[in-house]
Amino acid sequence: MSYLDKLTVSKRIIPAPPARRKAESADYRREKLIAHVEEQIELAKLALEGRPLQLQRKRGHKVVNVKPRLWWQVDADGNVITQIRYNKIPLIIKGRGSSIEVGQLKKLPATYRTVIKAIKAGELDRQIQSAYRKSRP
């Protein structure tokens, strides 16, 4: 008797697992942008606390510190101006421009939370789609 004769063989088919994500879906692009905005909130909190602005990323089996890309700048008067970016492309907000004038740095996390609400409501879907198309070859 062979080893394979000991097994119970059937004609049932095991379906392939569903794809982990759909890169083409609007929900995926919203989630991606929200994650990046939340990252900027964490960076703003670090800046407010006076701590170094560093993020940790997993590279292979190692966790390394990386210098983050900040979406905001502080001008000479201490006012903060920020942009919302998707794939490094600034999004046009309400057809008026890509910059948001925040005021003081302490208001930046609240501004980003408002942006997250707008993303979840789908108010930036057209701009995200446009930036997605621009970033693809």
Side-chain angles (χ1 to χ4, degrees):
M1 179 180 242
S2 73
Y3 292 107
L4 293 177
D5 290 334
K6 296 178 185 177
L7 302 175
T8 305
V9 179
S10 73
K11 292 184 179 184
R12 289 181 27 189
I13 297 174
I14 300 173
R20 290 180 22 191
R21 66 179 184 196
K22 291 185 178 180
E24 297 297 320
S25 74
D27 289 334
Y28 169 74
R29 288 190 290 273
R30 278 188 210 136
E31 290 172 13
K32 179 180 173 182
L33 183 56
I34 288 170
H36 287 291
V37 173
E38 288 173 346
E39 183 177 276
Q40 293 297 314
I41 291 172
E42 293 302 316
L43 290 169
K45 288 179 181 177
L46 288 174
L48 286 169
E49 295 171 1
R51 294 175 44 199
L53 301 178
Q54 288 189 345
L55 295 174
Q56 292 186 336
R57 297 273 193 244
K58 189 172 182 182
R59 303 278 191 242
H61 296 288
K62 295 180 183 179
V63 176
V64 297
N65 290 329
V66 295
K67 182 180 176 187
R69 289 188 177 106
L70 299 179
W71 289 359
W72 77 84
Q73 285 185 340
V74 181
D75 64 10
D77 298 332
N79 294 321
V80 176
I81 300 171
T82 187
Q83 291 180 324
I84 306 304
R85 298 179 182 175
Y86 187 86
N87 288 346
K88 300 180 187 175
I89 298 172
L91 302 181
I92 305 296
I93 312 261
K94 290 279 206 176
R96 290 185 240 157
S98 62
S99 298
I100 302 170
E101 295 182 17
V102 178
Q104 299 299 318
L105 184 61
K106 63 183 177 183
K107 295 180 183 178
L108 189 59
T111 302
Y112 283 142
R113 285 189 206 97
T114 303
V115 169
I116 288 174
K117 290 176 187 174
I119 294 167
K120 287 180 180 178
E123 294 179 23
L124 293 173
D125 284 351
R126 246 189 3 236
Q127 293 90 332
I128 294 169
Q129 179 67 22
S130 174
Y132 173 75
R133 277 193 238 121
K134 286 180 186 176
S135 66
R136 296 289 169 219

